[in-house]
C-alpha cells in the first residue's frame, strides 16, 4: 500500500510532532489551513458520527480573552504544587494564544447522530475519543506542513463557551494554537525541563490479562 519512503515519513512525523508554545506572527497560507482541517475531518469516529466542529480564531481581542481564561486557570492550578515544583510550573510557558496567528477551538457535539449512534450506546465518551482522533490528525498534518501546534488545556469550559458563544450542550475540547516557530523542541518540553520522562514501552505492555508481562 505504501512505499518504504512513505512509511518512514509517517513515522518521522509521529516522532517529530511537538506541543509548541512559541510562535512567529507570520501568516499561515490558507491552503495549509484547509489541508489541516481536511485531515481532521478524515479522522475515524465511532458510528461515523463526526462530532467535531472547528472555530477558527484570528481576532486579537478574542485571543486576548482566551489567553486571560487560560492564565486564570494556570494560576489556580499552581496551588497543587509546592516549592521548586510550583516555581517550575509557573515558569513554564503553558499557552501562546496571544502570539499564534491562528487558534482553533475544536468542539464535540454529543447529540450528533441522534439518540442511537452505532457503537456509542455502551460507551458514551466515544464522542470525545473520536474528537481526539481529529485533533491528532490535525497535529500530524500541521507538523507535515512545517507548522507548529500547541494544545492549550488550562481553562474552564464555561469561560470558553461564553467567549466563543458556544451552546451549552457543546463541549469545547481543545484550544489549538497554530503557526510558524523558530523554537521547535527536539523532545517534549516537559521532558526537557525534567517535569516528567518517557516511560519505557516494554513496561506498559501486558499479555492476555492485566499485569502479565510477555
Amino acid at each position: 500500500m505504501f512505499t518504504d519512503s512513505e512509511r518512514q515519513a509517517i513515522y518521522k512525523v509521529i516522532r517529530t510532532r511537538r506541543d509548541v508554545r512559541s510562535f512567529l506572527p507570520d501568516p499561515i497560507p490558507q491552503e495549509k489551513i484547509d489541508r489541516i482541517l481536511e485531515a481532521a475531518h478524515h479522522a475515524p469516529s465511532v458510528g461515523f458520527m463526526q462530532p467535531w466542529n472547528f472555530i477558527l480564531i484570528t481576532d486579537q481581542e478574542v485571543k486576548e480573552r482566551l489567553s486571560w481564561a487560560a492564565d486564570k486557570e494556570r494560576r489556580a492550578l499552581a496551588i497543587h504544587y509546592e516549592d521548586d515544583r510550583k516555581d517550575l510550573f509557573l515558569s513554564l510557558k503553558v499557552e501562546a494564544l496571544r502570539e499564534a496567528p491562528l487558534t482553533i477551538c475544536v468542539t464535540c457535539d454529543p447529540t450528533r447522530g441522534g439518540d442511537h449512534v452505532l457503537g456509542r450506546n455502551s460507551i458514551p465518551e466515544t464522542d470525545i475519543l473520536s474528537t481526539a482522533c481529529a485533533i491528532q490528525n490535525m497535529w500530524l498534518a500541521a507538523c507535515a506542513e512545517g507548522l507548529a501546534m500547541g494544545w492549550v488545556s488550562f481553562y474552564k469550559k464555561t469561560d470558553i463557551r461564553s467567549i466563543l458563544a458556544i451552546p451549552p450542550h457543546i463541549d469545547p475540547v481543545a484550544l489549538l494554537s497554530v503557526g510558524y516557530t523558530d523554537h521547535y523542541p527536539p523532545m517534549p518540553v516537559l521532558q526537557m525541563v525534567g517535569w516528567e520522562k518517557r516511560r519505557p514501552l516494554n513496561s506498559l505492555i501486558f499479555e492476555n490479562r492485566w499485569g502479565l508481562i510477555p
Side-chain angles (χ1 to χ4, degrees):
M1 186 178 296
F2 300 103
T3 65
D4 285 345
S5 60
E6 289 171 334
R7 187 164 51 251
Q8 290 168 11
I10 186 62
Y11 286 122
K12 181 178 180 180
V13 172
I14 290 170
R15 294 191 186 99
T16 302
R17 179 217 57 81
R18 294 287 177 260
D19 189 15
V20 175
R21 301 295 164 165
S22 296
F23 295 91
L24 300 171
D26 307 39
I28 306 170
Q30 185 61 48
E31 59 268 24
K32 291 197 174 195
I33 297 173
D34 293 342
R35 287 195 291 267
I36 290 171
L37 294 174
E38 189 72 19
H41 193 47
H42 276 77
S45 61
V46 172
F48 203 43
M49 70 180 298
Q50 306 160 72
W52 44 72
N53 281 88
F54 310 97
I55 304 175
L56 308 184
I57 303 149
T58 57
D59 183 272
Q60 192 61 35
E61 181 180 350
V62 177
K63 289 194 289 184
E64 291 285 347
R65 295 177 66 194
L66 292 174
S67 181
W68 164 82
D71 188 60
K72 181 183 71 168
E73 187 63 12
R74 180 181 74 97
R75 286 183 279 111
L77 288 172
I79 67 172
H80 296 287
Y81 305 109
E82 295 181 352
D83 302 327
D84 292 345
R85 199 156 177 85
K86 181 176 182 178
D87 293 339
L88 177 58
F89 173 77
L90 289 173
S91 72
L92 293 172
K93 187 175 182 181
V94 297
E95 53 86 16
L97 292 165
R98 293 186 180 94
E99 290 181 4
L102 173 66
T103 289
I104 304 175
C105 180
V106 184
T107 65
C108 175
D109 183 353
T111 68
R112 187 81 46 85
D115 294 336
H116 300 285
V117 175
L118 179 65
R120 182 176 175 268
N121 291 338
S122 299
I123 308 177
E125 59 268 27
T126 50
D127 54 8
I128 296 286
L129 300 178
S130 299
T131 304
C133 290
I135 294 169
Q136 177 75 344
N137 275 16
M138 294 175 72
W139 222 330
L140 296 177
C143 182
E145 293 285 352
L147 292 165
M149 182 174 284
W151 186 335
V152 180
S153 57
F154 299 156
Y155 55 79
K156 293 294 187 186
K157 292 182 179 181
T158 52
D159 288 336
I160 304 307
R161 287 191 182 99
S162 175
I163 294 169
L164 300 180
I166 298 172
H169 72 285
I170 301 294
D171 194 353
V173 177
L175 293 175
L176 303 173
S177 298
V178 188
Y180 293 100
T181 186
D182 54 5
H183 297 291
Y184 206 94
M187 65 178 66
V189 172
L190 293 181
Q191 183 178 358
M192 289 176 60
V193 301
W195 184 270
E196 187 55 273
K197 61 183 179 180
R198 191 179 300 278
R199 292 169 173 78
L201 177 58
N202 59 8
S203 70
L204 307 175
I205 300 173
F206 302 138
E207 186 173 353
N208 294 320
R209 63 176 179 81
W210 182 270
L212 185 61
I213 300 174

